[in-house]
Amino acid sequence: MHLICPKEALLSNLNIVSKAVSSKSTLSILECILLIADEKGFRMIANDLAIGIETSPIRTCIIEEFGSIALEARTFYEIVRKLPGDQVSIQTDKKNITKIKSDKSEFKILGQNGEEFPFLPMVEKNNEYKIKSSVFKNMIRQTIFSVSLEDTKPALTGELIEIRNDTFNIVAIDGFRISFRKTRVEEVLAPSSVIVPAKALNEVSKILQDGDDAIEIYFTDKHILFNLRECIVVSRILEGEYIKYSQIFTDDFNTLIRVDRQGLLMGIERSTLVSKESKKSPVVLNITENTMTITSSGDLGTSYDEIKVEGEGENIEISFNPKYLIDALKAIDDDVICIQFTNALSPCILRGIQSDDYKYLVLPLRLKG
């Protein structure tokens, strides 16, 4: 293989593909990036067997000779990053020795046979689901924090992507809260659902650009494929049954308030300042018709805040882990939101005033005394 590629394009694509390089593996080839040059162009592939990424062909690259080589990812990246020139020449021989040259700098490193590298799983493109890049990026941002970090229920370590006719839903649940986000699509789609590991969605989110470009999504019973402008990402999907979240969200309430989101967020964040454990000490909300008081008690003292609300229904005193409320409030873009309560032991639900595109459910803590 022999090719010449602009350093900037090489680094840009290395940053993308490196997200799927295995950091701990008994197979050394999984710690490599596959460089492949053929009639399709020059691409790079990484695959840790849970998630794989293949870059789109680099159009500015000049291919002198077809071939492939697997190079240790970190070494290759650092070499390219520190090369002096604007153009990088990469040339391999039959013994897998790779010469990397730019201006007066030259490296020779030993690679591995490219034919031994595990290619990405094949995902048949039967049903195509399209969504705007910026919308999907935002949906991930607004839900991913609610994914479970515990392996006791593997399905909850991923997010549910759910297609229901003209809506595209994404849901995350960790046992203490639920984050739900949906968007409407222009065409009616075949109903389907799949559980995608949080790591894969995090990496997809980092690659996605803000804009109206549509991304394509395909999935089978074992894998999901994201066709992005910059690359293709393939991830395994999680097995197991997801919690029937729609049955948990309810329109019933005994107390309903409308509140300025930013004001509430700042009040709850201030309440965490009196505890060394910051966002772990409980925060108590006491709600009357037009007022909410926010109190907390921690290692360093106590805090008291008061904000105005528009409320209806019964007065209520209820306690929460402040982190869960802060995460939800930061994810919401609306200036004013609704929060509904049933009683001090039942979850609250945060939602939009005029839109049902997002909903957040948070379980309370039991009040002491």
Side-chain angles (χ1 to χ4, degrees):
M1 181 180 73
H2 183 200
L3 57 89
I4 301 169
C5 188
K7 176 182 172 180
E8 184 178 349
L10 199 56
L11 274 178
S12 176
N13 282 269
L14 273 171
N15 279 321
I16 291 173
V17 78
S18 293
K19 301 179 189 304
V21 174
S22 177
S23 57
K24 296 179 182 179
S25 175
T26 55
L27 299 174
S28 61
I29 200 163
L30 297 183
E31 297 175 2
C32 296
I33 291 173
L34 176 67
L35 282 62
I36 182 168
D38 57 20
E39 61 278 354
K40 294 180 181 179
F42 171 57
R43 297 104 62 211
M44 289 182 281
I45 301 173
N47 186 2
D48 68 3
L49 303 185
I51 178 175
I53 298 176
E54 178 178 338
T55 64
S56 299
I58 302 175
R59 303 299 180 188
T60 52
C61 178
I62 300 171
I63 300 174
E64 302 285 354
E65 182 182 352
F66 289 167
S68 65
I69 192 72
L71 299 178
E72 201 277 328
R74 181 171 297 181
T75 302
F76 181 51
Y77 176 82
E78 288 301 324
I79 288 174
V80 173
R81 188 172 71 88
K82 295 180 179 180
L83 285 173
D86 296 329
Q87 298 291 324
V88 180
S89 169
I90 302 172
Q91 187 172 8
T92 63
D93 62 19
K94 294 180 180 179
K95 295 182 179 180
N96 295 324
I97 300 294
T98 301
K99 181 167 69 175
I100 305 168
K101 186 176 180 181
S102 181
D103 278 357
K104 303 297 183 180
S105 295
E106 181 179 307
F107 291 82
K108 289 183 180 180
I109 60 175
L110 180 62
Q112 297 189 51
N113 191 334
E115 295 180 0
E116 297 176 4
F117 193 88
F119 281 83
L120 305 190
M122 292 294 296
V123 177
E124 293 185 7
K125 299 180 179 181
N126 293 328
N127 291 319
E128 178 185 81
Y129 303 100
K130 285 188 176 182
I131 185 170
K132 289 183 179 179
S133 174
S134 58
V135 172
F136 191 51
K137 184 181 180 74
N138 210 33
M139 292 177 78
I140 296 172
R141 175 187 68 84
Q142 293 176 316
T143 54
I144 195 75
F145 54 83
S146 291
V147 166
S148 176
L149 302 178
E150 304 292 334
D151 291 331
T152 51
K153 295 182 179 179
L156 297 187
T157 62
E159 290 205 69
L160 177 70
I161 291 180
E162 186 179 48
I163 314 299
R164 288 189 175 181
N165 297 323
D166 63 342
T167 63
F168 186 105
N169 305 335
I170 186 166
V171 188
I173 303 174
D174 67 2
F176 302 98
R177 53 187 168 170
I178 303 174
S179 293
F180 168 87
R181 181 74 165 80
K182 78 174 182 181
T183 188
R184 288 170 176 78
V185 292
E186 296 179 357
E187 57 182 309
V188 176
L189 303 174
S192 192
S193 64
V194 64
I195 307 171
V196 186
K199 178 189 175 184
L201 289 174
N202 262 321
E203 301 305 345
V204 167
S205 177
K206 293 174 186 176
I207 298 168
L208 286 171
Q209 302 292 320
D210 292 325
D212 292 335
D213 289 340
I215 67 169
E216 300 158 2
I217 302 175
Y218 309 87
F219 46 83
T220 63
D221 57 347
K222 291 185 178 181
H223 295 94
I224 185 168
L225 182 150
F226 300 92
N227 190 1
L228 317 181
R229 183 177 62 184
E230 300 85 355
C231 62
I232 291 171
V233 180
V234 178
S235 169
R236 63 180 177 85
I237 61 174
L238 297 175
E239 297 180 352
E241 187 173 352
Y242 209 73
I243 293 175
K244 293 181 172 58
Y245 70 91
S246 59
Q247 300 175 0
I248 303 174
F249 284 110
T250 174
D251 293 327
D252 297 332
F253 63 86
N254 291 324
T255 306
L256 178 70
I257 64 168
R258 286 168 290 279
V259 61
D260 177 79
R261 179 191 63 84
Q262 187 65 21
L264 178 57
L265 172 61
M266 294 299 293
I268 295 175
E269 285 189 326
R270 284 192 292 270
S271 75
T272 67
L273 299 177
V274 295
S275 172
K276 290 181 180 178
E277 295 186 347
S278 185
K279 297 176 182 178
K280 291 186 178 180
S281 292
V283 59
V284 180
L285 309 183
N286 198 317
I287 301 165
T288 59
E289 185 176 352
N290 295 309
T291 303
M292 174 193 290
T293 62
I294 305 169
T295 58
S296 65
S297 177
D299 316 90
L300 308 177
T302 63
S303 74
Y304 174 92
D305 244 293
E306 188 175 301
I307 62 174
K308 291 183 179 180
V309 300
E310 293 181 13
E312 59 182 90
E314 304 172 1
N315 296 345
I316 187 173
E317 185 178 53
I318 188 167
S319 177
F320 293 98
N321 178 331
K323 177 180 177 358
Y324 296 159
L325 292 176
I326 288 170
D327 286 344
L329 290 167
K330 283 185 174 179
I332 298 170
D333 294 328
D334 290 349
D335 294 329
V336 181
I337 62 170
C338 280
I339 309 179
Q340 63 186 61
F341 306 86
T342 304
N343 57 56
L345 299 179
S346 299
C348 76
I349 297 174
L350 295 77
R351 62 171 84 226
I353 292 179
Q354 296 179 331
S355 169
D356 63 349
D357 287 350
Y358 65 85
K359 291 184 285 190
Y360 297 91
L361 181 145
V362 181
L363 287 175
L365 301 173
R366 186 178 292 273
L367 285 165
K368 295 181 180 179

